[in-house]
Each structure stands twice: as structure tokens, then as C-alpha cells.
Amino acid sequence: MSYLETTAKFYSEVAETPQVGLCCVQSSPLQLPGLKIPLAMQEMNYGCGTTVHPTELANQPTVLYVGVGGGLEALQFAYFSRRPGAVIAVDPVAAMREAATRNLQAAVTENPWFDPSFVEIRAGDAFNLPMPDASVDVVAQNCLFNIFEPADLTLALKEAWRVLKPGGRLQMSDPIATRPIPVHLQQDERLRAMCLSGALTYDEYTQKIVNAGFGQVEIRARRPYRLLDCHTYNLEENLLLESLDSVSFKVPIPEDGACIFTGKTAIYAGTEPFFDDSAGHVLQQGIPAAVCDKTAAKLAALMPSEVIVTNSTWHYTGGGCC
């Protein structure tokens, strides 16, 4: 079987017999007033973080969720878009679609506001999304794209870009590797399906997103996810996987490169009331301003004695001068 067939078989198994903690999720399901997550959904929480960011979900956006899983995040997205067909959940695995449908039906009894018509579950995959061009506000996926081999990841990202409206958002959570994963693990199809051996490094992952056409990438969280130890995985030294939550925007890529925000700030420490770099960035004296990594590097090089650039916090929710 190809690795995608192995993945489909594996997720058919965990749809029928849930494996609690399969992905070692470090964050509990998003807590919102009036939102209750059925136990069956919690047991099938096969993500590595979250793609549901409330600040991105104003005005009841149309959401395309790729890889429905147990339906947990589809329900969370429906919380913000309470209308028929607002959330379209796509999955190639019939058993997973059936499990998600059951779980969403169960959610009705615990959530009086929820109607199953809010979530439409369709057969389909990340490489051929069943949506027209520029038709959705948000595309989301949790712990799916990391399974894909690099060429297939490129296809999936370009397909997400295709269906997003201009200015739309790609909201993702995936494992990344702190160093390249050895070939013998990459070739283990079951480990790849379990989100343990297909992860790219941070630089490789973000470059793939930019190469697909996304002009702005915002890192919302980066945290330890899983350790691949020497003995179990036949490694010379332990290899740490991290979970990366990101939001990428379908906006043009600037001439000088995409803007990637990782929580850095620039602080003007000179004697004037403000500093203007004549490139659209104005810093008030002594006040930190959020900047993308590209701008941070330029400012640090331009006036290293008067502009302080802080380290990445790996968390960004807006603001600043970019």
C-alpha cells in the first residue's frame, strides 16, 4: 500500500476503536460559554494543538475543515458560525465521516444552540477539495498535513490557497521537528500516519506555506509535542517534536519577502521621540512594537545601537507596526 492507503487504514481503525491520547494533545478543548464537548469527541481528539482562534472567526465565516476526525473542531467552528452549511468538513475515510456524524448528533443533546445542519460532512481529500475557487473564508486542518510527503504537502497547501477568498485564512496545527527526521523513520508508513515521522523542520514548514502563495504567516503557539527516544526509534540521540499552531493569510507576498510573525518586538532606545525607518515602520521611544521577523532583522541591522529586537515568543495575536 502507499503511505496514504496506510493512513486511511489506520484512521479507519481509530474511528471504530478510539485511541485516547493518540496525538498526546497538550491543550484541553477550547472552553467557551455554552459549548460542551461530548465525551466521544474528546476521546477522538486526534490533533496536536488547536486551529480554532476566536479572533479570526468574526462575522460567521464559512469554514472548510480538512480531515474531520471526531468532529470536535468542526463543532467548535460551528459555535462561531451558526447557520446551515457554515462548516464544510472533508475527509476521505468513510469510517471517520460516520463517527463524526454520530458525534455531532450527540452534541445536539448537550448544546441547545447547535443544529447538525451547521456542519456538512463531505467525502474528499486535501488534494482535491470539493469547493470552487475563492469560496471560503477559513481553511483549517489539525495534525493532517504533517503526514504528507513534501510534494503532496505542496499540493495540499496550493489547494487550500485556491479555495480561500482573497484575505482568507489557513489555520493549521502540525508537529514540526527540531532537526530533520532520519530517512528510516520517514519511510515507516505507520509512524507517518501516527504523526511521528513526517514532520518538517520549522524553516522547511514555513517556507512551504510561503511557496504556496501566502504572504503573511502568524505563529500562534509553539510547544513540545513528543519525544522520539534513541532506544525506541533507533536514533543516535533523542529527537524532539514540537506542535506549531499558525494562521496564514492569502495576501500578496511583498517584494522583499513574506511577513512571518513569531512574537518579536522592536524597541527604539534613542534620544528622539520616535524613529521612522522610511519604510513604513515608526517606533515610539521606549515602547515595544510587534514586528515580523523580516522587519526585525532589517531594523537590527540598520541601527543596532538604538533599536533593540527581542527574541521570538512563538506567540502572536496582532498589533505592532507591520
Side-chain angles (χ1 to χ4, degrees):
M1 294 188 295
S2 74
Y3 83 97
L4 291 173
E5 290 173 328
T6 300
T7 299
K9 182 176 184 296
F10 176 77
Y11 281 97
S12 291
E13 295 170 0
V14 300
E16 295 168 357
T17 306
Q19 291 189 22
V20 179
L22 172 65
C23 290
C24 281
V25 178
Q26 298 298 313
S27 57
S28 59
L30 185 66
Q31 302 296 312
L32 294 164
L35 174 63
K36 295 185 178 180
I37 308 297
L39 179 60
M41 278 186 177
Q42 295 182 42
E43 292 178 344
M44 296 180 66
N45 186 9
Y46 300 146
C48 62
T50 185
T51 68
V52 184
H53 305 290
T55 55
E56 309 296 341
L57 300 174
N59 302 316
Q60 299 199 73
T62 299
V63 179
L64 177 61
Y65 194 78
V66 188
V68 67
L72 187 152
E73 290 196 336
L75 176 65
Q76 292 175 331
F77 278 117
Y79 179 92
F80 295 94
S81 296
R82 302 183 184 188
R83 55 184 173 80
V87 181
I88 301 102
V90 174
D91 203 294
V93 180
M96 197 63 80
R97 297 195 302 271
E98 293 165 3
T101 299
R102 290 194 304 271
N103 293 343
L104 289 167
Q105 288 289 347
V108 174
T109 61
E110 301 184 44
N111 296 274
W113 58 268
F114 178 65
D115 188 298
S117 68
F118 296 170
V119 180
E120 180 182 340
I121 298 179
R122 299 182 184 178
D125 60 50
F127 315 118
N128 295 284
L129 296 173
M131 298 294 293
D133 294 356
S135 59
V136 298
D137 302 296
V138 173
V139 173
Q141 68 82 24
N142 194 331
C143 216
L144 170 64
F145 282 18
N146 78 97
I147 293 172
F148 299 149
E149 292 182 350
D152 290 336
L153 174 58
T154 294
L155 292 175
L157 290 170
K158 288 183 176 179
E159 185 68 351
W161 190 94
R162 177 186 69 80
V163 302
L164 280 170
K165 298 175 182 177
R169 297 157 167 82
L170 173 60
Q171 302 182 189
M172 303 197 293
S173 182
D174 275 308
I176 57 171
T178 50
R179 70 174 188 274
I181 291 179
V183 173
H184 76 276
L185 295 184
Q186 293 182 40
Q187 294 176 342
D188 188 315
E189 294 183 351
R190 192 166 179 87
L191 286 181
R192 183 177 283 272
M194 295 172 66
C195 302
L196 292 178
S197 68
L200 300 176
T201 64
Y202 168 81
D203 289 336
E204 292 170 333
Y205 184 81
T206 52
Q207 190 60 54
K208 284 281 187 183
I209 297 171
V210 173
N211 289 348
F214 293 92
Q216 182 165 319
V217 181
E218 299 178 1
I219 305 305
R220 297 300 167 82
R222 181 175 178 175
R223 62 180 76 85
Y225 166 66
R226 186 77 69 85
L227 184 72
L228 305 183
D229 66 86
C230 302
H231 309 292
T232 306
Y233 298 97
N234 190 25
L235 297 168
E236 292 184 1
E237 58 180 310
N238 296 334
L239 198 165
L240 179 66
L241 303 182
E242 298 175 327
S243 171
L244 191 77
D245 295 353
S246 64
V247 179
S248 304
F249 294 78
K250 186 179 178 177
V251 296
I253 299 175
E255 290 184 3
D256 60 348
C259 295
I260 301 179
F261 289 85
T262 64
K264 290 184 176 180
T265 68
I267 309 169
Y268 173 55
T271 58
E272 301 298 324
F274 64 87
F275 167 70
D276 186 344
D277 72 347
S278 300
H281 309 107
V282 179
L283 304 179
Q284 290 182 266
Q285 185 187 44
I287 299 177
V291 291
C292 70
D293 291 7
K294 174 185 65 179
T295 298
K298 289 182 177 180
L299 290 172
L302 183 64
M303 297 186 68
S305 63
E306 295 189 4
V307 176
I308 298 168
V309 175
T310 61
N311 294 329
S312 298
T313 63
W314 304 110
H315 179 75
Y316 175 78
T317 55
C321 63
C322 283

